[in-house]
Amino acid sequence: MNTVQLIKFKDKDWKYLTPEKKLNAPLVLVFGDRFFLEDVNIYKDIKKIFPKGHIVFASTGGNVIGNSVENNCISITAIEFERSTFKVEKINLSDTNLDSFKAGSNLVKKLKGKDLKYILVLSNGSFVNGSELANGMNDTVDSNVLITGGLSADDNRFERTLVSYNENPKDGEIVAIGFYGDSFEVTSSVDGGWTAFGPERIVTKSKSNFLYELDNKPALDLYKRYLGDKSSELPGVALYYPLQIKSEKEEQSKIRTILNINDEYNAMILAGDIPLNSKAQLMMTNVDSLVRASETATKQALDQMVSKPQLALLVSCIGRKLILDQRTIEEVEEAKKVLPNGITMCGFYSYGEIAPYHEENMCQLHNQTMAVTLISE
């Protein structure tokens, strides 16, 4: 595996972070601020650098590149595989009548083939149902194939997210990359660092990702009561107090970020589905716990590897970045401490992380977590 990494800030030229070299038909992962990706010349400019590259774009809430976290920029990680192959497929939600389950299922069908080991999914983050996207992929994929990735982001603006393959970034797009080969090895893990507190309540009225009632009482009223004076800071303060959701059908609980509130309907709009009759509980954290979670996820992924990992993909939640603030770099540094020297690190801050729970196979939509994927060939 050979890699090249570049970065570009506003009104600056592209800067190589690694030695410049020619790659043969590489996978080119382009992560960047949404405003940068709206440039009508962006695809053409990167195609000049990698004329034979398979170029995949995703807007982000910040980029992990090398050993750092960078904002208001575009970063490129170009990867040439020497013993493995890959295939890129895409679908637009508008072509499925906004059916995220169908989109996920159709993407997997396009990628199925001999020696498929891994699927990396980079999805629209504005109006996709991330839970249903993961369910659709799980419904179609073989049990031995790992799926990880994330929902594209728009920093903390929540206005527009962009994804594309070999064209200018666009709305509604979902891109999936399949990796094939006997020598290809991939592992992943995810961890959050959050602690549940307060009483456990039952979801008595919900629809998709809208939560209306807990214990037959308006959920938003209960949530505001727990926040006290901080409730005046909604919806922003909700990033600091997500919900733990445990459904009747699943053994492990999920963290769900509260994206917005609707006072007219006394509803809370969460970043993933809230099943009826599931159990809900408030969560809290601190900076040290978030940083330790990054280390834990990285160690768990590394412990599963047989060979030495060559590439680390880190997908963390924009909510974590807002909480960590000046200490955001620390969760990347903790991952780096665990990983072997010489590994290429890249990733982004997302509106939702896609990965299985530790020691499970089926991918899930997560919020407020660090998802680590390690790759070698």
Side-chain angles (χ1 to χ4, degrees):
M1 182 187 298
N2 294 309
T3 59
V4 170
Q5 292 188 308
L6 301 87
I7 196 166
K8 178 178 172 58
F9 294 94
K10 186 176 182 180
D11 300 326
K12 302 290 185 180
D13 293 330
W14 286 102
K15 177 183 178 182
Y16 278 85
L17 302 178
T18 58
E20 182 177 352
K21 59 179 121 172
K22 291 185 178 180
L23 302 180
N24 181 34
L27 174 63
V28 183
L29 299 177
V30 185
F31 300 139
D33 183 271
R34 186 255 295 181
F35 291 132
F36 283 73
L37 297 192
E38 288 177 331
D39 185 339
V40 295
N41 295 313
I42 187 62
Y43 172 65
K44 183 176 65 175
D45 290 346
I46 295 176
K47 193 68 176 176
K48 289 179 182 177
I49 304 174
F50 300 99
K52 296 182 179 180
H54 297 265
I55 303 170
V56 178
F57 292 92
S59 62
T60 74
N63 300 353
V64 177
I65 183 75
N67 302 328
S68 66
V69 176
E70 300 292 348
N71 303 303
N72 302 313
C73 69
I74 302 177
S75 66
I76 294 177
T77 300
I79 311 154
E80 177 189 68
F81 294 92
E82 299 173 290
R83 293 182 290 170
S84 309
T85 60
F86 65 89
K87 178 182 178 183
V88 186
E89 294 288 351
K90 61 183 180 180
I91 195 168
N92 198 281
L93 281 168
S94 62
D95 297 329
T96 66
N97 293 319
L98 303 185
D99 188 332
S100 298
F101 184 98
K102 183 178 180 180
S105 178
N106 286 350
L107 280 170
V108 171
K109 288 176 183 176
K110 292 179 180 181
L111 292 173
K112 273 194 167 184
K114 184 180 178 182
D115 297 329
L116 175 63
K117 296 291 184 65
Y118 169 57
I119 297 173
L120 169 61
V121 58
L122 299 171
S123 171
N124 162 272
S126 300
F127 44 88
V128 70
N129 183 321
S131 300
E132 284 298 288
L133 176 67
N135 289 339
M137 299 185 83
N138 288 331
D139 186 66
T140 311
V141 77
D142 294 335
S143 60
N144 63 331
V145 177
L146 177 68
I147 300 174
T148 71
L151 309 187
S152 58
D154 182 25
D155 204 15
N156 62 351
R157 295 180 290 261
F158 296 94
E159 294 172 352
R160 185 187 185 201
T161 62
L162 303 172
V163 175
S164 70
Y165 168 53
N166 277 354
E167 62 179 323
N168 279 333
K170 59 197 294 188
D171 297 291
E173 203 81 347
I174 305 173
V175 173
I177 309 157
F179 297 83
Y180 309 79
D182 290 334
S183 62
F184 189 89
E185 184 183 1
V186 59
T187 63
S188 76
S189 190
V190 61
D191 200 77
W194 293 81
T195 302
F197 73 97
E200 196 173 63
R201 298 183 181 275
I202 304 298
V203 176
T204 48
K205 185 179 179 181
S206 65
K207 182 178 181 181
S208 184
N209 64 329
F210 281 69
L211 174 60
Y212 296 98
E213 292 184 0
L214 294 169
D215 291 344
N216 296 307
K217 299 176 182 178
L220 183 55
D221 287 349
L222 287 171
Y223 190 72
K224 287 181 175 179
R225 190 184 308 163
Y226 277 110
L227 291 183
D229 293 341
K230 292 182 179 180
S231 63
S232 62
E233 301 173 35
L234 285 169
V237 73
L239 289 169
Y240 297 83
Y241 300 96
L243 294 180
Q244 175 177 271
I245 303 295
K246 175 74 177 297
S247 75
E248 297 175 306
K249 298 179 181 179
E250 296 175 330
E251 293 183 5
Q252 300 204 51
S253 59
K254 300 175 183 177
I255 303 174
R256 284 288 174 259
T257 299
I258 299 154
L259 296 179
N260 213 332
I261 60 173
N262 187 312
D263 285 304
E264 181 181 357
Y265 294 99
N266 237 348
M268 301 161 68
I269 305 168
L270 283 78
D273 283 355
I274 310 299
L276 195 64
N277 296 320
S278 58
K279 298 177 181 178
Q281 197 171 10
L282 279 170
M283 305 196 81
M284 60 182 179
T285 191
N286 57 56
V287 169
D288 291 335
S289 294
L290 294 181
V291 170
R292 284 195 299 270
S294 176
E295 178 186 20
T296 299
T298 307
K299 282 183 176 179
Q300 289 174 341
L302 189 60
D303 288 344
Q304 300 171 61
M305 291 289 290
V306 175
S307 54
K308 180 181 177 181
Q310 298 164 284
L311 176 70
L313 174 67
L314 309 182
V315 181
S316 186
C317 181
I318 184 65
R320 296 169 65 86
K321 184 168 177 278
L322 295 175
I323 295 170
L324 288 166
D325 196 19
Q326 298 293 326
R327 294 180 62 183
T328 300
I329 185 62
E330 292 185 28
E331 69 171 355
V332 176
E333 290 174 340
E334 288 303 306
K336 177 65 176 177
K337 288 178 184 177
V338 177
L339 294 170
N341 292 331
I343 192 169
T344 299
M345 296 179 64
C346 66
F348 64 99
Y349 282 83
S350 74
Y351 283 174
E353 306 77 65
I354 295 176
Y357 288 108
H358 181 53
E359 297 183 339
E360 291 190 6
N361 294 324
M362 297 176 64
C363 69
Q364 307 282 348
L365 174 70
H366 304 273
N367 299 132
Q368 298 283 13
T369 62
M370 165 66 86
V372 179
T373 303
L374 302 181
I375 294 172
S376 70
E377 62 162 354

Short mmCIF file of all heavy atoms in Angstrom, two decimals, residues 234-254:
data_model
loop_
_atom_site.label_atom_id
_atom_site.label_comp_id
_atom_site.label_asym_id
_atom_site.label_seq_id
_atom_site.Cartn_x
_atom_site.Cartn_y
_atom_site.Cartn_z
N LEU A 234 -31.10 25.48 24.37
CA LEU A 234 -31.46 24.47 23.38
C LEU A 234 -31.59 25.12 21.98
O LEU A 234 -31.97 26.27 21.88
CB LEU A 234 -32.79 23.81 23.75
CG LEU A 234 -32.74 22.79 24.89
CD1 LEU A 234 -34.13 22.41 25.32
CD2 LEU A 234 -31.96 21.55 24.45
N PRO A 235 -31.25 24.39 20.88
CA PRO A 235 -30.87 22.97 20.87
C PRO A 235 -29.37 22.73 21.06
O PRO A 235 -28.94 21.60 21.21
CB PRO A 235 -31.31 22.53 19.48
CG PRO A 235 -31.11 23.75 18.64
CD PRO A 235 -31.47 24.92 19.53
N GLY A 236 -28.55 23.80 21.04
CA GLY A 236 -27.11 23.63 21.10
C GLY A 236 -26.63 22.84 22.31
O GLY A 236 -25.77 21.96 22.19
N VAL A 237 -27.19 23.13 23.49
CA VAL A 237 -26.73 22.47 24.71
C VAL A 237 -27.04 20.97 24.69
O VAL A 237 -26.44 20.20 25.44
CB VAL A 237 -27.37 23.14 25.94
CG1 VAL A 237 -28.86 22.79 26.05
CG2 VAL A 237 -26.63 22.77 27.21
N ALA A 238 -27.96 20.53 23.82
CA ALA A 238 -28.34 19.11 23.77
C ALA A 238 -27.17 18.22 23.35
O ALA A 238 -27.16 17.02 23.66
CB ALA A 238 -29.51 18.91 22.82
N LEU A 239 -26.19 18.79 22.66
CA LEU A 239 -25.01 17.99 22.28
C LEU A 239 -24.26 17.49 23.51
O LEU A 239 -23.55 16.49 23.45
CB LEU A 239 -24.08 18.83 21.40
CG LEU A 239 -24.58 19.11 19.98
CD1 LEU A 239 -23.71 20.16 19.31
CD2 LEU A 239 -24.61 17.84 19.15
N TYR A 240 -24.41 18.18 24.62
CA TYR A 240 -23.73 17.80 25.85
C TYR A 240 -24.53 16.77 26.64
O TYR A 240 -23.99 16.17 27.58
CB TYR A 240 -23.48 19.03 26.72
CG TYR A 240 -22.57 20.05 26.10
CD1 TYR A 240 -23.06 20.99 25.19
CD2 TYR A 240 -21.21 20.09 26.39
CE1 TYR A 240 -22.23 21.94 24.62
CE2 TYR A 240 -20.38 21.02 25.82
CZ TYR A 240 -20.88 21.94 24.93
OH TYR A 240 -20.05 22.87 24.35
N TYR A 241 -25.80 16.58 26.30
CA TYR A 241 -26.65 15.65 27.05
C TYR A 241 -27.48 14.80 26.08
O TYR A 241 -28.69 14.99 25.93
CB TYR A 241 -27.58 16.42 28.00
CG TYR A 241 -26.83 17.25 29.01
CD1 TYR A 241 -26.60 18.61 28.79
CD2 TYR A 241 -26.34 16.67 30.17
CE1 TYR A 241 -25.90 19.37 29.71
CE2 TYR A 241 -25.63 17.43 31.10
CZ TYR A 241 -25.41 18.77 30.86
OH TYR A 241 -24.70 19.52 31.77
N PRO A 242 -26.84 13.86 25.38
CA PRO A 242 -27.58 12.98 24.48
C PRO A 242 -28.39 11.96 25.27
O PRO A 242 -28.35 11.94 26.51
CB PRO A 242 -26.47 12.31 23.67
CG PRO A 242 -25.30 12.29 24.61
CD PRO A 242 -25.40 13.56 25.42
N LEU A 243 -29.10 11.10 24.54
CA LEU A 243 -29.88 10.04 25.16
C LEU A 243 -29.27 8.68 24.88
O LEU A 243 -28.77 8.42 23.78
CB LEU A 243 -31.32 10.06 24.64
CG LEU A 243 -32.19 11.26 24.99
CD1 LEU A 243 -33.58 11.09 24.39
CD2 LEU A 243 -32.28 11.46 26.50
N GLN A 244 -29.33 7.81 25.85
CA GLN A 244 -29.00 6.41 25.65
C GLN A 244 -30.31 5.68 25.33
O GLN A 244 -31.27 5.76 26.08
CB GLN A 244 -28.36 5.82 26.91
CG GLN A 244 -28.10 4.32 26.81
CD GLN A 244 -27.41 3.80 28.04
OE1 GLN A 244 -26.19 3.79 28.13
NE2 GLN A 244 -28.18 3.37 29.03
N ILE A 245 -30.33 4.97 24.21
CA ILE A 245 -31.53 4.28 23.76
C ILE A 245 -31.26 2.78 23.72
O ILE A 245 -30.30 2.33 23.10
CB ILE A 245 -31.98 4.76 22.37
CG1 ILE A 245 -32.21 6.27 22.38
CG2 ILE A 245 -33.23 4.03 21.92
CD1 ILE A 245 -33.33 6.74 23.25
N LYS A 246 -32.11 2.01 24.38
CA LYS A 246 -31.98 0.55 24.39
C LYS A 246 -33.31 -0.06 23.93
O LYS A 246 -34.33 0.06 24.60
CB LYS A 246 -31.65 0.06 25.81
CG LYS A 246 -31.61 -1.46 25.98
CD LYS A 246 -30.37 -2.05 25.37
CE LYS A 246 -30.31 -3.56 25.61
NZ LYS A 246 -30.20 -3.92 27.02
N SER A 247 -33.30 -0.66 22.73
CA SER A 247 -34.53 -1.25 22.19
C SER A 247 -34.72 -2.66 22.71
O SER A 247 -33.78 -3.29 23.21
CB SER A 247 -34.50 -1.25 20.67
OG SER A 247 -33.63 -2.25 20.18
N GLU A 248 -35.94 -3.16 22.56
CA GLU A 248 -36.26 -4.51 23.03
C GLU A 248 -35.54 -5.58 22.21
O GLU A 248 -35.29 -6.69 22.70
CB GLU A 248 -37.77 -4.75 22.95
CG GLU A 248 -38.60 -3.84 23.83
CD GLU A 248 -40.08 -4.04 23.62
OE1 GLU A 248 -40.54 -3.97 22.46
OE2 GLU A 248 -40.79 -4.28 24.62
N LYS A 249 -35.19 -5.26 20.97
CA LYS A 249 -34.62 -6.26 20.06
C LYS A 249 -33.10 -6.31 20.09
O LYS A 249 -32.50 -7.18 19.46
CB LYS A 249 -35.09 -5.97 18.63
CG LYS A 249 -36.60 -6.05 18.45
CD LYS A 249 -36.98 -5.72 17.01
CE LYS A 249 -38.48 -5.77 16.81
NZ LYS A 249 -38.86 -5.43 15.41
N GLU A 250 -32.46 -5.37 20.78
CA GLU A 250 -31.00 -5.30 20.74
C GLU A 250 -30.40 -5.43 22.13
O GLU A 250 -30.99 -4.96 23.11
CB GLU A 250 -30.55 -3.98 20.10
CG GLU A 250 -30.97 -3.86 18.64
CD GLU A 250 -30.63 -2.50 18.06
OE1 GLU A 250 -30.63 -1.52 18.83
OE2 GLU A 250 -30.38 -2.42 16.84
N GLU A 251 -29.24 -6.07 22.19
CA GLU A 251 -28.58 -6.29 23.47
C GLU A 251 -27.85 -5.03 23.94
O GLU A 251 -27.73 -4.79 25.14
CB GLU A 251 -27.59 -7.45 23.36
CG GLU A 251 -28.25 -8.81 23.11
CD GLU A 251 -27.24 -9.93 23.09
OE1 GLU A 251 -26.05 -9.66 23.36
OE2 GLU A 251 -27.63 -11.07 22.80
N GLN A 252 -27.31 -4.24 23.00
CA GLN A 252 -26.51 -3.09 23.37
C GLN A 252 -27.29 -1.79 23.13
O GLN A 252 -28.10 -1.69 22.22
CB GLN A 252 -25.21 -3.07 22.56
CG GLN A 252 -24.35 -4.31 22.80
CD GLN A 252 -22.90 -4.05 22.51
OE1 GLN A 252 -22.32 -3.08 23.01
NE2 GLN A 252 -22.29 -4.91 21.72
N SER A 253 -27.02 -0.81 23.95
CA SER A 253 -27.68 0.49 23.82
C SER A 253 -26.94 1.36 22.82
O SER A 253 -25.77 1.14 22.51
CB SER A 253 -27.73 1.18 25.18
OG SER A 253 -26.42 1.36 25.69
N LYS A 254 -27.63 2.39 22.33
CA LYS A 254 -27.05 3.34 21.39
C LYS A 254 -27.12 4.74 21.97
O LYS A 254 -28.02 5.04 22.77
CB LYS A 254 -27.81 3.32 20.06
CG LYS A 254 -27.83 1.99 19.35
CD LYS A 254 -28.72 2.06 18.12
CE LYS A 254 -28.82 0.71 17.43
NZ LYS A 254 -29.74 0.74 16.27
#
